[in-house]
């Protein structure tokens, strides 16, 4: 298993990015400004994480995804740990992430990894996505914002 920064000439792994953010038009608004890291297994990309500097000394994880067939094996946690370490090395002092109110597993992972809830953006997904998003039997309406000081 190897995690490396995506090179400038490489295409973004859109199929993976779409697992975490279901509208390509939304992904296109941020992905070119991100540092993208990919996780490879035997030459195939199985995970991705995208970091976007948002304010001085703050970076936001805009997208984190693992192939559905590879989920539940700790790969998301490894990607998250890598992003936190890379952020430290790049001189950032805090990392933020947002996820849906219906993303129960992700909320657990982020908090277990040291992130704290700092706010809720009510109806974020209703306002910003054309199609309703459902996950774990719930409509994804609100963005839960989390932060970790480095």
């Amino acid at each position: 298993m190897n995690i490396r920064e995506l090179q400038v000439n490489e295409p973004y792994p859109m199929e993976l990015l779409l697992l975490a953010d279901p509208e390509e038009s939304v992904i296109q608004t941020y992905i070119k400004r991100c540092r993208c890291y990919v996780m490879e297994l035997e030459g195939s990309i199985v995970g991705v994480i995208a970091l976007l500097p948002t304010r001085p000394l703050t970076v936001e994880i805009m997208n984190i995804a693992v192939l559905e067939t590879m989920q539940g094996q700790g790969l998301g946690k490894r990607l998250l740990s890598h992003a936190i370490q890379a952020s430290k090395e790049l001189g950032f002092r805090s990392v933020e992430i947002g996820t849906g109110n219906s993303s129960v597993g992700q909320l657990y992972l982020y908090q277990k990894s040291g992130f704290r809830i700092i706010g809720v953006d009510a109806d974020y997904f209703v306002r910003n996505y054309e199609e309703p998003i459902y996950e774990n039997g719930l409509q994804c309406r609100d963005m839960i914002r989390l932060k970790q000081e480095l």
Side-chain angles (χ1 to χ4, degrees):
M1 196 73 60
N2 177 48
I3 299 175
R4 65 172 178 84
E5 191 164 3
L6 194 67
Q7 300 301 303
V8 175
N9 60 340
E10 288 183 272
Y12 296 104
M14 192 56 68
E15 297 79 25
L16 270 175
L17 294 166
L18 286 165
L19 291 176
D21 197 338
E23 288 188 19
E24 187 171 345
S25 62
V26 175
I27 294 169
Q28 294 296 346
T29 66
Y30 61 79
I31 197 65
K32 291 179 180 147
R33 297 178 288 133
C34 290
R35 285 185 106 108
C36 283
Y37 297 88
V38 292
M39 177 181 277
E40 294 177 314
L41 177 64
E42 299 173 2
S44 295
I45 295 175
V46 298
V48 64
I49 192 161
L51 304 176
L52 177 66
T54 55
R55 292 184 302 286
L57 305 179
T58 301
V59 66
E60 182 171 351
I61 298 171
M62 298 297 293
N63 193 303
I64 178 172
V66 172
L67 278 177
E68 289 177 298
T69 57
M70 303 287 293
Q71 291 176 8
Q73 300 177 36
L75 303 182
K77 184 176 182 176
R78 286 181 62 183
L79 276 170
L80 196 57
S81 294
H82 180 84
I84 291 166
Q85 185 59 40
S87 298
K88 285 180 188 176
E89 291 170 7
L90 292 167
F92 292 101
R93 296 222 177 119
S94 63
V95 179
E96 296 182 352
I97 193 166
T99 194
N101 61 282
S102 56
S103 301
V104 180
Q106 291 89 331
L107 281 167
Y108 174 77
L109 171 63
Y110 302 151
Q111 291 177 85
K112 190 172 180 182
S113 298
F115 286 83
R116 300 284 312 271
I117 295 172
I118 58 168
V120 176
D121 187 346
D123 286 328
Y124 174 87
F125 293 99
V126 175
R127 290 192 318 271
N128 291 288
Y129 289 80
E130 289 185 27
E131 297 292 323
I133 301 167
Y134 288 90
E135 186 177 35
N136 299 312
L138 297 171
Q139 183 174 2
C140 184
R141 300 183 61 87
D142 308 321
M143 180 182 286
I144 310 299
R145 305 281 311 151
L146 300 101
K147 181 176 185 175
Q148 181 175 141
E149 298 294 339
L150 302 178

